Amino acid sequence: MIDNNVPTERSGETPCPKGKIERFIEPCLLLLLAEKSAHGYELMDNLEQFGFDPRCQDPGQIYRYLRRMETEGLVESAWESGDSGPARRSYQITGDGLSLLASWMKTLEKRITIINKLITRYQQTIQKGDV
Amino acid sequence: MIDNNVPTERSGETPCPKGKIERFIEPCLLLLLAEKSAHGYELMDNLEQFGFDPRCQDPGQIYRYLRRMETEGLVESAWESGDSGPARRSYQITGDGLSLLASWMKTLEKRITIINKLITRYQQTIQKGDV
DNA sequence: ATATAGTATATGTTATTTACACATAGGTGA
DNA sequence: TCACCTATGTGTAAATAACATATACTATAT
């Protein structure tokens, strides 16, 4: 799902590090819906901006997330029989969705702090000779 | 495994966002071992600095990772019958381990860029009124 | 008319990763 | 000898992500 143009593939063994964040699609969807209401297919394209594959090979995941988020009251949907193409389920974010998005932001800020600490220490370490 | 003093628990439903990075323990272990050789129990304590639980409730995970990393040639181990307590398996990082660590760092830098984009857009959005 | 392609939504199943629970064992001090 | 800390591990369940497939509407070209 995530763009992984990372160095050499390691055969058979553990895959190359992708650094994916657990459930990261959730805050991305919430933010896009906070910006403006949209349907799944549209969201799929916009997720590209957050490192997800363009023309993602797993549309199912997005739809599944959206349906679950609705059962949890984070978003609400309504069918829109558009002028062209099949009907769309249009989603809009709720108050609960907005607060969850806010708590995601706090979480992600903490995560950045931790990653930065790791990077800083790494740079210090390699400067001390370890190549 | 990760410190999650995040807002309100959401009952039954999806857990609070923890923002955990997939396999994040791996670069942490590699960095600690790049700094200096160590055994599992010692590493457990030092992982606290990267947001893992102090006196982690799953020591098994760390040992499992270390053993796998050895089969992949990222680290090497040797038993050390210390002067006190049970024997320890002391790990040291290899050349392959160092290069994987380097590629982890690149991956994490990209990840930070993406998270920052998300945060920036979030702040722009809430400023435009959406509470 | 029908075949193809693009839009749009969804489910079924497997694989990967993490979390929880438990087992083992040496050494130290009460 | 009993409890506790150090130290290393395995077994299994739960959560998450990945892969594969199904359906259906519509527009355009053949």
Side-chain angles (χ1 to χ4, degrees):
Chain A
M1 192 86 182
I2 292 249
D3 182 352
N4 66 333
N5 50 347
V6 204
T8 47
E9 281 289 350
R10 294 182 299 147
S11 65
E13 301 152 5
T14 321
C16 272
K18 298 193 251 351
K20 279 178 299 189
I21 290 168
E22 201 182 83
R23 301 174 55 76
F24 188 59
I25 202 176
E26 188 176 82
C28 294
L29 290 173
L30 288 172
L31 174 62
L32 291 172
L33 291 175
E35 289 177 348
K36 83 179 225 305
S37 294
H39 60 279
Y41 198 78
E42 194 181 351
L43 292 164
M44 215 177 349
D45 286 337
N46 291 323
L47 280 175
E48 188 182 347
Q49 304 161 51
F50 303 114
F52 295 90
D53 268 351
R55 283 282 151 248
C56 138
Q57 66 277 61
D58 188 9
Q61 188 187 186
I62 292 161
Y63 293 112
R64 220 168 330 220
Y65 258 88
L66 288 169
R67 303 318 326 284
R68 178 168 60 181
M69 286 159 69
E70 181 159 28
T71 70
E72 291 174 4
L74 305 171
V75 297
E76 281 169 359
S77 76
W79 284 100
E80 267 181 14
S81 32
D83 37 318
S84 84
R88 306 160 165 184
R89 194 191 278 271
S90 176
Y91 287 90
Q92 70 171 51
I93 197 166
T94 65
D96 280 3
L98 283 168
S99 16
L100 185 66
L101 178 56
S103 98
W104 258 109
M105 291 302 132
K106 283 183 203 138
T107 300
L108 291 174
E109 275 162 19
K110 285 184 204 154
R111 191 58 51 188
I112 282 190
T113 307
I114 289 170
I115 299 176
N116 275 329
K117 184 188 284 186
L118 195 78
I119 291 175
T120 303
R121 278 180 59 169
Y122 171 72
Q123 286 165 349
Q124 287 169 355
T125 303
I126 56 165
Q127 272 176 0
K128 288 180 188 158
D130 223 348
V131 167
Chain B
M1 191 88 184
I2 293 249
D3 182 351
N4 66 333
N5 50 347
V6 204
T8 45
E9 280 290 349
R10 294 183 300 147
S11 65
E13 301 152 5
T14 321
C16 272
K18 299 193 251 349
K20 280 179 298 190
I21 292 167
E22 200 182 83
R23 301 174 55 76
F24 188 59
I25 202 175
E26 188 177 82
C28 293
L29 290 173
L30 287 173
L31 174 61
L32 291 172
L33 291 175
E35 289 177 348
K36 85 179 225 305
S37 294
H39 60 279
Y41 197 79
E42 195 182 350
L43 291 164
M44 216 178 346
D45 286 336
N46 291 324
L47 281 176
E48 188 183 346
Q49 304 160 52
F50 302 116
F52 295 90
D53 267 351
R55 284 281 152 248
C56 135
Q57 67 278 59
D58 188 8
Q61 187 187 186
I62 293 160
Y63 293 112
R64 216 159 345 208
Y65 258 89
L66 289 169
R67 303 317 330 281
R68 176 166 62 178
M69 285 159 71
E70 181 158 28
T71 70
E72 291 174 4
L74 305 171
V75 297
E76 280 169 359
S77 76
W79 284 101
E80 267 181 13
S81 30
D83 36 319
S84 83
R88 305 159 166 186
R89 193 192 278 270
S90 177
Y91 286 91
Q92 68 171 51
I93 197 166
T94 66
D96 281 2
L98 284 168
S99 19
L100 186 64
L101 179 56
S103 97
W104 258 110
M105 291 301 132
K106 282 182 205 140
T107 299
L108 291 174
E109 275 161 19
K110 285 184 206 153
R111 191 58 50 186
I112 282 190
T113 306
I114 289 170
I115 300 176
N116 275 328
K117 183 187 286 186
L118 196 77
I119 291 176
T120 303
R121 277 180 60 170
Y122 172 72
Q123 287 164 347
Q124 287 169 355
T125 302
I126 54 165
Q127 271 176 359
K128 288 180 190 159
D130 224 347
V131 167

